[in-house]
Amino acid sequence: MKVCVVGLGYIGLPTALSMAGAGVDVIGVDYNKELLATLNAGKVSFEEEGLEELFSKALKNGIEFTDIYPKVDYYVIAVPTPYEKHNKKVDASYVVKAVESVLEVCEDGAVIIIESTISPGTIDKFIRPVVAEKKVHLVHAPERIIPGNMIYELLHNSRTVGADDKEVGERVKALYETFCQGEIVLTDIRTAEMTKVVENTFRDINIAFANELAKICRSADMDVYEVIKIANRHPRVNILSPGPGVGGHCISVDPWFLVGDYPGLANIILAARKINDSMPEFVLKRTYQVMKKHNLKDVTRVGFYGLTYKEDVDDVRESPTLQMIESMEKHLAHGVKVFDPFIKDDLVENQYQDFDKFLNDIDLIVIMVAHSHIKENMDRLKDMVVLDTRHVCMLPGTHRI
Ligand code: SAJ
């Protein structure tokens, strides 16, 4: 059995390595020559626990990386599916291009497995017309792994395999079973598409509930964390944590597909999106309140800690801090300082690479991301004003959202 994984990013690379690690004959394809050079030099392209070990194992088992599509039995497509900002609809062009490239080389009977997240109906609308001329099988096996714990989750999570044909579904199930110990559920393609988007929407709504409670408790001058802690003692209640907003490429994006396609029906979903999107602005308001309380007037003495969308990853896509900086610029508030131990390139103005210097130059620190780094350095904040949006700083006098 020979497999080609198309797209060697956050999802494609760990997937290709897991299959190769399990002994499957794998070729990884990507058009990014720089990325191919990195991988072919024996280096991984991003940080993720366990990725390097898996990489060595896959290399030993003969995985190859190239920009030429090979002729194989199975193609796994894991290319990006961005959404169009103006209408919030999925942009399936990368998936379509990848499928077209596969069709140029594959033989009849090949199986094309789409792992990229797509909005419900995308395969019928955009992919089927492209493959109509050829006798290939389509499958949707949406990825489900969480950045920060990808390798573990690839191995243990349950998976969904949506196929037109049960026999093909069973074969793909067997392929995934080579490395995945979780239950693999077979269904049809439309159900697989919908399920994936529903999963991320569920989480978005639950985070929005926690964020709305934070706003209510702020207005009532109450401690939302205490309320949530106590409510969660109820056996059927499990409220998530409020925060500065929802970032990443998935949870803040996928619910829009449902809003875009079912505008009159997706009401809770839309409200949740709006609440989560309002959080960076809310943190900004809290920052001004805290400044006022401590008589701090100089916005250039405020430092935002964390640029990534969540803790201990190096991914800044849709990050609340970036959203907030954008919104500050609209308010003409320039000069805030920024630091993130995971971001080695300067992405924004006044970004520091040296934590000591950063702390030296600010009076108020706003914790936007709960990296382990800040948890280990909490005592360094003893003499500062702290606004903690993640509930990780227990120093007396800490302000919260
Ligand atoms: N967040 C909160 N409060 C919480 C939990 C999260 O504010 O209680 C914030 C995070 O800080 C972050 C955002 O939400 O900004 C999303 O983070 P996350 O860790 O919940 O999820 P992602 O985006 O890293 O990964 C999600 C996962 N989906 C679900 O948990 C339903 C993952 O399983 C998917 O594979 C991934 O999306 C994807 O690619 O679709």
Side-chain angles (χ1 to χ4, degrees):
M1 183 161 41
K2 234 178 163 163
V3 177
C4 167
V5 177
V6 182
L8 299 172
Y10 285 110
I11 301 301
L13 183 63
T15 303
L17 299 180
S18 297
M19 284 185 185
V24 178
D25 203 349
V26 179
I27 299 175
V29 167
D30 203 295
Y31 63 30
N32 180 342
K33 295 226 189 286
E34 218 176 291
L35 170 67
L36 291 174
T38 305
L39 297 173
N40 281 321
K43 282 184 260 166
V44 292
S45 40
F46 61 94
E47 282 184 37
E48 181 67 41
E49 207 185 309
L51 191 63
E52 282 187 27
E53 291 89 317
L54 194 57
F55 190 53
S56 317
K57 197 166 167 204
L59 281 179
K60 265 191 219 119
N61 286 356
I63 190 167
E64 288 170 41
F65 305 106
T66 169
D67 57 356
I68 299 163
Y69 283 73
K71 198 182 293 256
V72 297
D73 318 307
Y74 296 88
Y75 296 86
V76 176
I77 314 266
V79 295
T81 39
Y83 74 104
E84 293 167 8
K85 283 231 153 87
H86 60 285
N87 64 9
K88 318 279 191 201
K89 294 211 168 174
V90 71
D91 168 5
S93 59
Y94 293 95
V95 180
V96 170
K97 260 194 220 114
V99 170
E100 283 169 348
S101 304
V102 166
L103 294 176
E104 280 171 25
V105 297
C106 76
E107 286 180 347
D108 282 354
V111 180
I112 303 178
I113 305 159
I114 293 167
E115 280 221 15
S116 309
T117 304
I118 43 187
S119 71
T122 299
I123 292 195
D124 281 350
K125 207 159 149 199
F126 297 106
I127 314 291
R128 286 198 200 279
V130 174
V131 302
E133 303 288 295
K134 229 166 166 168
K135 285 201 183 69
V136 293
H137 302 288
L138 287 177
V139 171
H140 184 38
E143 61 83 11
R144 239 181 202 173
I145 49 179
I146 197 153
N149 197 26
M150 286 180 156
I151 308 303
Y152 176 88
E153 291 207 348
L154 258 179
L155 200 70
H156 296 280
N157 283 3
S158 160
R159 298 287 302 240
T160 317
V161 170
D164 296 330
D165 183 317
K166 192 143 186 270
E167 182 270 330
V168 174
E170 291 290 355
R171 278 199 279 138
V172 171
K173 186 174 168 190
L175 168 62
Y176 280 79
E177 272 168 353
T178 59
F179 67 94
C180 169
Q181 297 169 8
E183 184 193 2
I184 300 176
V185 180
L186 281 189
T187 184
D188 60 85
I189 287 181
R190 290 179 71 227
T191 306
E193 287 175 326
M194 182 61 96
T195 307
K196 164 69 200 194
V197 170
V198 162
E199 289 162 11
N200 280 347
T201 303
F202 173 86
R203 193 148 169 92
D204 197 43
I205 291 172
N206 281 282
I207 297 169
F209 179 59
N211 284 335
E212 187 157 280
L213 290 181
K215 287 181 171 179
I216 291 172
C217 288
R218 171 61 44 210
S219 148
D221 198 19
M222 292 174 75
D223 179 352
V224 67
Y225 298 100
E226 181 74 0
V227 171
I228 292 176
K229 192 176 91 189
I230 296 169
N232 280 350
R233 295 281 194 276
H234 185 289
R236 283 170 297 283
V237 175
N238 183 17
I239 304 171
L240 297 181
S241 310
V246 172
H249 178 56
C250 315
I251 295 182
S252 64
V253 175
D254 298 357
W256 284 120
F257 299 159
L258 294 175
V259 173
D261 287 341
Y262 304 93
L265 299 174
N267 298 319
I268 288 193
I269 302 172
L270 175 60
R273 270 291 68 239
K274 285 187 179 160
I275 292 163
N276 288 337
D277 271 355
S278 75
M279 292 313 287
E281 189 82 36
F282 183 70
V283 174
L284 195 55
K285 233 169 59 204
R286 283 291 296 141
T287 306
Y288 288 134
Q289 283 168 358
V290 171
M291 283 176 76
K292 207 163 160 202
K293 186 154 190 210
H294 291 268
N295 206 18
L296 300 171
K297 297 213 164 69
D298 185 359
V299 77
T300 69
R301 302 278 308 168
V302 175
F304 287 97
Y305 177 92
L307 265 171
T308 61
Y309 82 93
K310 67 174 186 180
E311 67 285 357
D312 297 334
V313 299
D314 59 7
D315 189 342
V316 297
R317 289 179 296 177
E318 321 288 330
S319 110
T321 310
L322 288 179
Q323 290 176 43
M324 200 170 61
I325 289 172
E326 222 173 87
S327 136
M328 286 191 94
E329 277 162 5
K330 268 188 229 141
H331 292 110
L332 300 174
H334 295 288
V336 290
K337 316 274 199 271
V338 181
F339 174 80
D340 191 310
F342 278 84
I343 307 300
K344 306 287 180 224
D345 299 326
D346 286 341
L347 300 183
V348 292
E349 272 178 49
N350 304 308
Q351 183 182 336
Y352 284 62
Q353 292 297 343
D354 183 325
F355 188 52
D356 293 321
K357 265 175 92 183
F358 170 70
L359 291 185
N360 234 349
D361 286 356
I362 59 174
D363 301 315
L364 163 61
I365 184 167
V366 184
I367 302 175
M368 297 291 285
V369 183
H371 289 310
S372 308
H373 167 268
I374 192 74
K375 293 189 196 154
E376 286 152 15
N377 280 287
M378 222 36 111
D379 57 321
R380 308 281 306 279
L381 312 185
K382 267 200 314 265
D383 301 321
M384 314 189 74
V385 181
V386 181
L387 171 57
D388 174 14
T389 71
R390 297 286 187 174
H391 201 223
V392 285
C393 179
M394 298 305 148
L395 293 170
T398 297
H399 298 278
R400 311 211 182 271
I401 53 169

